[in-house]
Amino acid sequence: MIPKPIKLFFASRLQPEAGPVVLDRKRVYIMPDRYGTLFGLVFLVMLLAALNYDLSLGFVLTFLLGGALFVSILHTYRNLVGLKLFQGRIEPVFAGETARFPMGLDNRTGGERLAIGLAWSGKNQKEIYLDIAPGHTPFPVLTLQAPRRGWLKPPRLTVFTRFPMGLIRAWGVVTFTTPCLVYPQPEKGHVPLPPGPAGEEEGRKRHPDGDDFYGLRKYQVGDTPKQVHWKISARWQGLLTKEFAGSELPDLQFEWSALGELDTEARLSRLCRWVMDAHAGDLNYGLTLPGFNLPPGRGEAHRGEALQALALFGLDGEGGGESP
């Protein structure tokens, strides 16, 4: 049974942190790896042989190798301690894609850090190695598969090094709090947008490039001669500009209730597809979900608000929750 103080010690180091995190001496662990363990056994055998046969050259060689091992422990430790870590900007992805987690490694010391490795904790995780020059802050990117919509929380991150001899492994463990937002997977194939809220006349809007005459208004600076209705302007004794009703689509409102034949995930995929297509077409669109209503609008911020609502729909307390 593990004593409670030891449990509290490790639990305090596994709590998620917003960052930045500095790997100080209390957060860096150091142990010989399997090659270091083998080297230690060889060192012990050589020492016993030199003592047993009283070999002067055996002592010289044994203590030379032992000294090199102890010096490598110091260099391995110094190669990692003091390194500052923080998360970079995490872009949302769609379900089924790969989430990317940039990690900032700030080296404010005067020496270069060589062969710094990063990997998610666990077996068979891909390792990334890099060298960090003094005063530099590289942003290596670690990836995770995003199979489902919602918040994708990053697992524990291990930062380690075996420099310079590859016999000693120093490492630190960090768990960051900022997750990646995963949108629903858009429905594949061509999915027509739903019709506007009313008939054609209500949906028509004034548009300078339209085909149907809409009405007249007073001339404004910037109107072209082609837009001026010269005959009526001559009778009215003032310039009047023609307005046309174009083929611009009316505001669209994507309704959850209009997709009653689909299950929850299929509805979210259909709505996600509509949001993406409407945004690509620069249309005004809104979104209505149970307990959520987004008025019509357009733009990147509007698209992001709509997709986030779809990503977190029904996930409170199940990995969705509040925005971090």
Side-chain angles (χ1 to χ4, degrees):
M1 182 176 179
I2 302 177
K4 186 176 180 180
I6 296 179
K7 285 185 176 179
L8 294 176
F9 174 80
F10 284 103
S12 65
R13 279 153 175 77
L14 298 179
Q15 294 296 322
E17 301 171 85
V21 174
V22 178
L23 297 178
D24 56 18
R25 60 184 180 85
K26 295 182 179 179
R27 306 187 65 132
V28 175
Y29 311 94
I30 187 165
M31 288 284 290
D33 64 2
R34 56 181 178 176
Y35 299 109
T37 303
L38 180 61
F39 185 91
L41 292 175
V42 173
F43 170 80
L44 184 59
V45 170
M46 292 176 62
L47 179 62
L48 292 176
L51 289 172
N52 188 48
Y53 295 102
D54 195 17
L55 299 174
S56 299
L57 290 179
F59 282 117
V60 172
L61 180 59
T62 301
F63 289 122
L64 182 62
L65 293 177
L69 177 62
F70 283 104
V71 170
S72 74
I73 293 175
L74 177 62
H75 281 277
T76 304
Y77 173 79
R78 294 182 61 182
N79 195 40
L80 190 63
V81 71
L83 186 64
K84 181 188 289 186
L85 291 86
F86 57 94
Q87 285 184 290
R89 179 180 175 81
I90 304 172
E91 298 292 342
V93 298
F94 293 95
E97 295 182 346
T98 301
R100 296 165 57 84
F101 292 85
M103 297 291 174
L105 302 178
D106 190 6
N107 179 21
R108 291 300 170 188
T109 61
E112 186 176 13
R113 299 177 187 269
L114 302 174
I116 300 295
L118 297 97
W120 300 124
S121 296
K123 295 182 178 179
N124 302 322
Q125 296 292 334
K126 182 180 179 181
E127 298 178 348
I128 297 176
Y129 291 90
L130 71 160
D131 300 331
I132 309 175
H136 284 65
T137 307
F139 282 85
V141 177
L142 285 89
T143 59
L144 277 178
Q145 288 298 315
R148 294 181 297 276
R149 64 182 175 90
W151 292 113
L152 177 63
K153 299 177 181 178
R156 281 180 294 171
L157 173 68
T158 302
V159 187
F160 59 93
T161 182
R162 296 184 181 88
F163 180 83
M165 295 181 65
L167 302 176
I168 305 297
R169 183 176 188 265
W171 76 95
V173 178
V174 180
T175 304
F176 285 114
T177 56
T178 305
C180 176
L181 181 59
V182 183
Y183 299 144
Q185 187 176 47
E187 185 173 338
K188 297 180 180 178
H190 175 66
V191 182
L193 292 172
E200 180 182 357
E201 287 300 326
E202 186 176 340
R204 294 167 64 187
K205 290 185 170 183
R206 302 180 186 185
H207 196 282
D209 298 326
D211 299 320
D212 302 328
F213 181 72
Y214 183 88
L216 295 172
R217 61 169 171 80
K218 289 184 179 180
Y219 175 85
Q220 297 177 356
V221 177
D223 292 339
T224 64
K226 183 180 178 181
Q227 292 177 267
V228 177
H229 201 304
W230 294 105
K231 290 184 180 180
I232 296 182
S233 295
R235 292 199 299 268
W236 190 71
Q237 296 181 345
L239 293 178
L240 295 175
T241 298
K242 294 178 286 186
E243 285 188 316
F244 295 87
S247 57
E248 183 179 348
L249 291 175
D251 292 345
L252 302 175
Q253 189 69 24
F254 303 147
E255 302 276 355
W256 170 271
S257 58
L259 302 174
E261 75 281 4
L262 303 177
D263 61 27
T264 299
E265 295 303 321
R267 288 192 199 191
L268 295 174
S269 294
R270 175 73 58 85
L271 292 171
C272 184
R273 167 54 61 193
W274 283 347
V275 169
M276 296 297 295
D277 291 347
H279 176 75
D282 197 25
L283 305 177
N284 275 340
Y285 61 93
L287 177 65
T288 302
L289 302 174
F292 175 83
N293 182 62
L294 180 65
R298 68 176 69 183
E300 287 292 338
H302 188 77
R303 167 184 173 273
E305 188 174 358
L307 291 178
Q308 178 167 333
L310 295 173
L312 303 181
F313 178 76
L315 293 182
D316 290 346
E318 298 179 12
E322 299 294 332
S323 175

